mmCIF file of all heavy atoms in Angstrom:
data_model
loop_
_atom_site.group_PDB
_atom_site.id
_atom_site.type_symbol
_atom_site.label_atom_id
_atom_site.label_comp_id
_atom_site.label_asym_id
_atom_site.label_seq_id
_atom_site.Cartn_x
_atom_site.Cartn_y
_atom_site.Cartn_z
ATOM 1 N N PHE A 51 95.329 3.408 168.111
ATOM 2 C CA PHE A 51 95.365 2.167 168.893
ATOM 3 C C PHE A 51 96.062 2.443 170.240
ATOM 4 O O PHE A 51 97.249 2.544 170.273
ATOM 5 C CB PHE A 51 96.006 1.030 168.101
ATOM 6 C CG PHE A 51 95.047 0.431 167.117
ATOM 7 C CD1 PHE A 51 94.820 1.025 165.919
ATOM 8 C CD2 PHE A 51 94.320 -0.717 167.433
ATOM 9 C CE1 PHE A 51 93.882 0.574 165.017
ATOM 10 C CE2 PHE A 51 93.388 -1.225 166.570
ATOM 11 C CZ PHE A 51 93.175 -0.611 165.359
ATOM 12 N N PRO A 54 97.336 -2.713 172.633
ATOM 13 C CA PRO A 54 98.037 -3.525 171.579
ATOM 14 C C PRO A 54 97.048 -4.114 170.593
ATOM 15 O O PRO A 54 95.907 -4.454 170.903
ATOM 16 C CB PRO A 54 98.726 -4.616 172.391
ATOM 17 C CG PRO A 54 98.834 -4.059 173.750
ATOM 18 C CD PRO A 54 97.689 -3.188 173.977
ATOM 19 N N SER A 55 97.513 -4.289 169.336
ATOM 20 C CA SER A 55 96.749 -4.950 168.309
ATOM 21 C C SER A 55 97.685 -5.374 167.189
ATOM 22 O O SER A 55 98.638 -4.668 166.874
ATOM 23 C CB SER A 55 95.688 -4.003 167.748
ATOM 24 O OG SER A 55 95.122 -4.540 166.536
ATOM 25 N N THR A 56 97.408 -6.509 166.634
ATOM 26 C CA THR A 56 98.093 -6.949 165.394
ATOM 27 C C THR A 56 97.088 -6.949 164.236
ATOM 28 O O THR A 56 97.174 -6.262 163.245
ATOM 29 C CB THR A 56 98.809 -8.325 165.563
ATOM 30 O OG1 THR A 56 99.781 -8.180 166.584
ATOM 31 C CG2 THR A 56 99.475 -8.803 164.268
ATOM 32 N N ARG A 57 96.089 -7.841 164.406
ATOM 33 C CA ARG A 57 95.135 -8.097 163.338
ATOM 34 C C ARG A 57 94.233 -6.899 162.981
ATOM 35 O O ARG A 57 94.071 -6.570 161.835
ATOM 36 C CB ARG A 57 94.192 -9.285 163.665
ATOM 37 C CG ARG A 57 94.754 -10.618 163.413
ATOM 38 C CD ARG A 57 94.278 -11.605 164.510
ATOM 39 N NE ARG A 57 94.958 -11.265 165.717
ATOM 40 C CZ ARG A 57 96.148 -11.725 166.073
ATOM 41 N NH1 ARG A 57 96.752 -12.551 165.328
ATOM 42 N NH2 ARG A 57 96.736 -11.307 167.167
ATOM 43 N N THR A 58 93.660 -6.274 163.998
ATOM 44 C CA THR A 58 92.684 -5.239 163.734
ATOM 45 C C THR A 58 93.362 -4.025 163.064
ATOM 46 O O THR A 58 92.871 -3.552 162.025
ATOM 47 C CB THR A 58 92.011 -4.817 165.009
ATOM 48 O OG1 THR A 58 91.564 -5.980 165.689
ATOM 49 C CG2 THR A 58 90.767 -3.908 164.752
ATOM 50 N N ARG A 59 94.494 -3.613 163.603
ATOM 51 C CA ARG A 59 95.148 -2.447 163.039
ATOM 52 C C ARG A 59 95.658 -2.755 161.621
ATOM 53 O O ARG A 59 95.415 -1.963 160.686
ATOM 54 C CB ARG A 59 96.302 -2.015 163.960
ATOM 55 C CG ARG A 59 97.008 -0.732 163.394
ATOM 56 C CD ARG A 59 98.026 -0.204 164.387
ATOM 57 N NE ARG A 59 99.181 -1.037 164.556
ATOM 58 C CZ ARG A 59 100.260 -1.041 163.762
ATOM 59 N NH1 ARG A 59 100.261 -0.245 162.693
ATOM 60 N NH2 ARG A 59 101.268 -1.844 163.986
ATOM 61 N N ARG A 107 90.923 1.915 169.128
ATOM 62 C CA ARG A 107 90.952 0.930 170.218
ATOM 63 C C ARG A 107 91.422 1.624 171.475
ATOM 64 O O ARG A 107 92.431 2.358 171.432
ATOM 65 C CB ARG A 107 91.903 -0.244 169.866
ATOM 66 C CG ARG A 107 92.073 -1.196 171.009
ATOM 67 C CD ARG A 107 92.735 -2.457 170.674
ATOM 68 N NE ARG A 107 91.910 -3.293 169.845
ATOM 69 C CZ ARG A 107 92.233 -4.519 169.438
ATOM 70 N NH1 ARG A 107 93.343 -5.022 169.788
ATOM 71 N NH2 ARG A 107 91.421 -5.226 168.680
ATOM 72 N N CYS A 128 87.078 -0.301 167.601
ATOM 73 C CA CYS A 128 87.890 -1.521 167.386
ATOM 74 C C CYS A 128 88.246 -2.177 168.701
ATOM 75 O O CYS A 128 89.302 -2.805 168.841
ATOM 76 C CB CYS A 128 89.153 -1.105 166.611
ATOM 77 S SG CYS A 128 88.708 -0.784 164.932
ATOM 78 N N HIS A 135 83.432 -5.107 170.191
ATOM 79 C CA HIS A 135 84.388 -5.156 169.067
ATOM 80 C C HIS A 135 83.560 -5.524 167.807
ATOM 81 O O HIS A 135 83.687 -6.591 167.296
ATOM 82 C CB HIS A 135 85.493 -6.211 169.383
ATOM 83 C CG HIS A 135 86.687 -6.132 168.501
ATOM 84 N ND1 HIS A 135 86.805 -5.333 167.402
ATOM 85 C CD2 HIS A 135 87.884 -6.815 168.586
ATOM 86 C CE1 HIS A 135 87.999 -5.520 166.843
ATOM 87 N NE2 HIS A 135 88.670 -6.377 167.547
ATOM 88 N N GLN A 138 84.953 -7.029 164.491
ATOM 89 C CA GLN A 138 85.387 -8.428 164.624
ATOM 90 C C GLN A 138 84.200 -9.360 164.442
ATOM 91 O O GLN A 138 84.244 -10.417 163.865
ATOM 92 C CB GLN A 138 86.056 -8.632 166.003
ATOM 93 C CG GLN A 138 86.483 -10.083 166.243
ATOM 94 C CD GLN A 138 87.641 -10.516 165.329
ATOM 95 O OE1 GLN A 138 88.608 -9.822 165.146
ATOM 96 N NE2 GLN A 138 87.536 -11.749 164.744
ATOM 97 N N ARG A 168 85.518 -9.140 174.668
ATOM 98 C CA ARG A 168 84.568 -8.172 173.984
ATOM 99 C C ARG A 168 84.098 -8.773 172.656
ATOM 100 O O ARG A 168 82.992 -8.420 172.216
ATOM 101 C CB ARG A 168 85.264 -6.840 173.799
ATOM 102 C CG ARG A 168 86.600 -6.918 173.008
ATOM 103 C CD ARG A 168 87.390 -5.636 173.193
ATOM 104 N NE ARG A 168 88.716 -5.771 172.641
ATOM 105 C CZ ARG A 168 89.725 -4.998 172.949
ATOM 106 N NH1 ARG A 168 89.604 -4.066 173.860
ATOM 107 N NH2 ARG A 168 90.904 -5.114 172.372
ATOM 108 N N THR A 169 84.917 -9.604 172.039
ATOM 109 C CA THR A 169 84.438 -10.149 170.728
ATOM 110 C C THR A 169 83.194 -11.012 170.965
ATOM 111 O O THR A 169 82.288 -11.019 170.139
ATOM 112 C CB THR A 169 85.523 -11.013 170.038
ATOM 113 O OG1 THR A 169 85.774 -12.168 170.844
ATOM 114 C CG2 THR A 169 86.791 -10.233 169.828
ATOM 115 N N PRO A 267 89.235 -15.387 167.555
ATOM 116 C CA PRO A 267 89.556 -14.052 167.029
ATOM 117 C C PRO A 267 91.064 -13.799 167.096
ATOM 118 O O PRO A 267 91.511 -12.913 166.385
ATOM 119 C CB PRO A 267 88.751 -13.104 167.947
ATOM 120 C CG PRO A 267 88.587 -13.898 169.228
ATOM 121 C CD PRO A 267 88.473 -15.355 168.818
ATOM 122 N N LEU A 268 91.796 -14.602 167.875
ATOM 123 C CA LEU A 268 93.208 -14.452 168.072
ATOM 124 C C LEU A 268 93.531 -13.074 168.668
ATOM 125 O O LEU A 268 92.731 -12.160 168.549
ATOM 126 C CB LEU A 268 93.964 -14.623 166.755
ATOM 127 C CG LEU A 268 93.766 -15.973 166.030
ATOM 128 C CD1 LEU A 268 94.546 -16.008 164.681
ATOM 129 C CD2 LEU A 268 94.154 -17.172 166.913
ATOM 130 N N PRO A 269 94.659 -12.886 169.363
ATOM 131 C CA PRO A 269 95.702 -13.845 169.561
ATOM 132 C C PRO A 269 95.335 -15.001 170.526
ATOM 133 O O PRO A 269 94.479 -14.811 171.370
ATOM 134 C CB PRO A 269 96.829 -12.977 170.190
ATOM 135 C CG PRO A 269 96.107 -11.901 170.944
ATOM 136 C CD PRO A 269 94.876 -11.605 170.099
ATOM 137 N N ARG A 297 86.551 -5.531 156.303
ATOM 138 C CA ARG A 297 86.847 -4.084 156.683
ATOM 139 C C ARG A 297 86.900 -3.208 155.391
ATOM 140 O O ARG A 297 86.594 -2.035 155.463
ATOM 141 C CB ARG A 297 88.098 -4.026 157.539
ATOM 142 C CG ARG A 297 87.784 -4.639 158.921
ATOM 143 C CD ARG A 297 88.920 -4.647 159.880
ATOM 144 N NE ARG A 297 88.355 -5.011 161.198
ATOM 145 C CZ ARG A 297 88.828 -5.951 162.054
ATOM 146 N NH1 ARG A 297 89.946 -6.611 161.691
ATOM 147 N NH2 ARG A 297 88.212 -6.221 163.185
HETATM 148 N N1 CP B 1 91.096 -10.096 166.886
HETATM 149 C C1 CP B 1 91.776 -9.002 167.363
HETATM 150 O O1 CP B 1 91.159 -8.029 167.759
HETATM 151 O O2 CP B 1 93.125 -9.163 167.270
HETATM 152 P P1 CP B 1 94.156 -7.985 167.652
HETATM 153 O O3 CP B 1 94.012 -7.761 169.150
HETATM 154 O O4 CP B 1 95.491 -8.521 167.232
HETATM 155 O O5 CP B 1 93.785 -6.734 166.886
#
Side-chain angles (χ1 to χ4, degrees):
F51 281 80
S55 168
T56 298
R57 279 144 289 273
T58 311
R59 183 172 69 82
R107 172 168 290 184
C128 287
H135 194 351
Q138 178 66 47
R168 57 196 172 200
T169 66
L268 303 178
R297 289 180 171 131

